[in-house]
Amino acid sequence: MDRSTIAKAFTEHPASVGETYGEHLVHATGFGVRMVLGGLACMLHGLLPFLFVKTGSKQIETLHGKMIVNRSKLPQPLDFVI
C-alpha cells in the first residue's frame, strides 16, 4: 500500500459525512461512549426496572438527532439518475 491509499482509508469516509479525520474521531468516540453507557443503563434497568426508566430511549433519540437529523442539514451531492 502506498501513502495515498493509506491516507484515503483514513479520510474518505469522514469527508463523505462532512468531517475531517479528527472531527470524525471525536464524534465517533462520543457516540461509542454514549452507546456503551446507555447499554449499561438498559441492562441495569432490566435487572432493577425502577432505575433508568427512560435512559435507553433518550440515548437513542439523542444519537438519532446527532447522526441523522443533523447530517441531513449537510449539503447533498448532486445525484443524477438516467
Side-chain angles (χ1 to χ4, degrees):
M1 275 191 168
D2 63 355
R3 282 186 161 183
S4 65
T5 304
I6 294 169
K8 186 176 177 182
F10 282 91
T11 59
E12 187 173 39
H13 171 67
S16 75
V17 294
E19 297 173 342
T20 65
Y21 172 77
E23 290 169 334
H24 192 70
L25 174 65
V26 169
H27 289 139
T29 301
F31 271 68
V33 168
R34 186 177 288 270
M35 290 169 67
V36 168
L37 294 177
L40 290 172
C42 286
M43 289 189 289
L44 285 171
H45 172 72
L47 184 62
L48 305 167
F50 51 88
L51 293 178
F52 306 111
V53 175
K54 296 183 179 181
T55 303
S57 58
K58 184 65 181 166
Q59 296 313 307
I60 292 168
E61 183 182 326
T62 299
L63 291 171
H64 179 268
K66 287 183 173 188
M67 181 179 284
I68 305 302
V69 175
N70 289 335
R71 183 167 296 160
S72 67
K73 294 177 185 173
L74 292 173
Q76 297 299 313
L78 294 176
D79 186 18
F80 293 98
V81 178
I82 299 174

